Short mmCIF file of all heavy atoms in Angstrom, two decimals:
data_model
loop_
_atom_site.label_atom_id
_atom_site.label_comp_id
_atom_site.label_asym_id
_atom_site.label_seq_id
_atom_site.Cartn_x
_atom_site.Cartn_y
_atom_site.Cartn_z
N ARG A 216 -15.74 54.77 -53.06
CA ARG A 216 -15.14 54.98 -51.75
C ARG A 216 -14.88 56.50 -51.57
O ARG A 216 -14.27 57.11 -52.38
CB ARG A 216 -13.85 54.24 -51.59
CG ARG A 216 -14.02 52.70 -51.60
CD ARG A 216 -12.74 51.95 -51.99
NE ARG A 216 -11.67 52.22 -51.06
CZ ARG A 216 -11.41 51.51 -49.95
NH1 ARG A 216 -12.22 50.43 -49.68
NH2 ARG A 216 -10.43 51.82 -49.16
N LEU A 217 -15.37 57.03 -50.48
CA LEU A 217 -15.17 58.46 -50.17
C LEU A 217 -14.51 58.62 -48.81
O LEU A 217 -14.76 57.88 -47.88
CB LEU A 217 -16.53 59.18 -50.15
CG LEU A 217 -17.37 59.19 -51.43
CD1 LEU A 217 -18.72 59.85 -51.18
CD2 LEU A 217 -16.65 59.87 -52.58
N SER A 218 -13.68 59.63 -48.70
CA SER A 218 -12.99 59.87 -47.47
C SER A 218 -13.93 60.66 -46.51
O SER A 218 -14.60 61.56 -46.94
CB SER A 218 -11.71 60.72 -47.69
OG SER A 218 -10.79 59.98 -48.48
N ALA A 219 -13.91 60.25 -45.27
CA ALA A 219 -14.68 60.98 -44.25
C ALA A 219 -13.74 61.74 -43.36
O ALA A 219 -12.60 61.31 -43.06
CB ALA A 219 -15.47 59.96 -43.41
N SER A 220 -14.15 62.95 -42.98
CA SER A 220 -13.33 63.76 -42.06
C SER A 220 -13.37 63.12 -40.68
O SER A 220 -14.37 62.58 -40.25
CB SER A 220 -13.80 65.19 -42.04
OG SER A 220 -15.10 65.26 -41.47
N HIS A 221 -12.25 63.21 -39.98
CA HIS A 221 -12.11 62.62 -38.68
C HIS A 221 -13.14 63.18 -37.70
O HIS A 221 -13.70 62.47 -36.84
CB HIS A 221 -10.73 62.84 -38.12
CG HIS A 221 -10.48 62.26 -36.76
ND1 HIS A 221 -10.31 60.89 -36.54
CD2 HIS A 221 -10.42 62.80 -35.52
CE1 HIS A 221 -10.12 60.65 -35.26
NE2 HIS A 221 -10.24 61.83 -34.62
N SER A 222 -13.42 64.49 -37.82
CA SER A 222 -14.34 65.12 -36.92
C SER A 222 -15.78 64.67 -37.08
O SER A 222 -16.61 64.82 -36.20
CB SER A 222 -14.32 66.67 -37.12
OG SER A 222 -14.73 67.02 -38.45
N LYS A 223 -16.09 64.02 -38.23
CA LYS A 223 -17.45 63.55 -38.49
C LYS A 223 -17.67 62.06 -38.26
O LYS A 223 -18.80 61.58 -38.41
CB LYS A 223 -17.87 63.96 -39.89
CG LYS A 223 -18.02 65.47 -40.10
CD LYS A 223 -18.58 65.80 -41.46
CE LYS A 223 -18.67 67.27 -41.65
NZ LYS A 223 -19.67 67.92 -40.69
N LEU A 224 -16.58 61.33 -37.95
CA LEU A 224 -16.69 59.90 -37.87
C LEU A 224 -17.71 59.42 -36.87
O LEU A 224 -18.54 58.54 -37.16
CB LEU A 224 -15.29 59.29 -37.51
CG LEU A 224 -14.35 59.08 -38.66
CD1 LEU A 224 -13.00 58.55 -38.16
CD2 LEU A 224 -14.95 58.14 -39.70
N ASP A 225 -17.69 59.97 -35.67
CA ASP A 225 -18.62 59.54 -34.63
C ASP A 225 -20.05 59.82 -35.03
O ASP A 225 -20.95 58.96 -34.81
CB ASP A 225 -18.33 60.24 -33.29
CG ASP A 225 -17.06 59.75 -32.68
OD1 ASP A 225 -16.61 58.66 -33.02
OD2 ASP A 225 -16.53 60.43 -31.74
N GLN A 226 -20.31 60.95 -35.65
CA GLN A 226 -21.64 61.28 -36.07
C GLN A 226 -22.12 60.34 -37.18
O GLN A 226 -23.25 59.86 -37.18
CB GLN A 226 -21.71 62.70 -36.64
CG GLN A 226 -23.07 63.13 -37.09
CD GLN A 226 -23.10 64.49 -37.80
OE1 GLN A 226 -22.08 65.08 -38.01
NE2 GLN A 226 -24.28 64.95 -38.10
N ILE A 227 -21.19 60.03 -38.12
CA ILE A 227 -21.54 59.11 -39.23
C ILE A 227 -21.91 57.71 -38.63
O ILE A 227 -22.92 57.11 -39.05
CB ILE A 227 -20.38 58.98 -40.21
CG1 ILE A 227 -20.12 60.34 -40.90
CG2 ILE A 227 -20.68 57.90 -41.26
CD1 ILE A 227 -18.85 60.36 -41.69
N LYS A 228 -21.07 57.22 -37.74
CA LYS A 228 -21.33 55.90 -37.17
C LYS A 228 -22.62 55.86 -36.37
O LYS A 228 -23.36 54.88 -36.41
CB LYS A 228 -20.15 55.52 -36.30
CG LYS A 228 -18.87 55.19 -37.06
CD LYS A 228 -17.76 54.83 -36.14
CE LYS A 228 -16.47 54.48 -36.94
NZ LYS A 228 -15.29 54.12 -36.03
N ALA A 229 -22.92 56.94 -35.65
CA ALA A 229 -24.16 57.01 -34.92
C ALA A 229 -25.36 56.99 -35.80
O ALA A 229 -26.35 56.34 -35.53
CB ALA A 229 -24.15 58.26 -33.99
N ARG A 230 -25.27 57.77 -36.89
CA ARG A 230 -26.42 57.83 -37.84
C ARG A 230 -26.58 56.48 -38.52
O ARG A 230 -27.74 56.05 -38.78
CB ARG A 230 -26.16 58.93 -38.85
CG ARG A 230 -26.22 60.32 -38.27
CD ARG A 230 -27.66 60.75 -37.97
NE ARG A 230 -28.46 60.73 -39.20
CZ ARG A 230 -28.43 61.72 -40.10
NH1 ARG A 230 -27.64 62.76 -39.92
NH2 ARG A 230 -29.19 61.65 -41.18
N LEU A 231 -25.49 55.83 -38.89
CA LEU A 231 -25.56 54.52 -39.52
C LEU A 231 -26.17 53.52 -38.58
O LEU A 231 -26.99 52.67 -38.93
CB LEU A 231 -24.17 54.06 -39.97
CG LEU A 231 -23.70 54.49 -41.34
CD1 LEU A 231 -22.28 53.98 -41.60
CD2 LEU A 231 -24.64 54.05 -42.44
N SER A 232 -25.75 53.58 -37.33
CA SER A 232 -26.26 52.64 -36.30
C SER A 232 -27.78 52.80 -36.15
O SER A 232 -28.53 51.83 -36.10
CB SER A 232 -25.57 52.88 -34.97
OG SER A 232 -26.12 52.05 -33.97
#
Side-chain angles (χ1 to χ4, degrees):
R216 295 158 61 89
L217 299 175
S218 297
S220 64
H221 181 74
S222 62
K223 293 186 180 297
L224 277 178
D225 288 343
Q226 181 187 6
I227 296 168
K228 290 179 179 179
R230 291 286 299 282
L231 274 178
S232 177

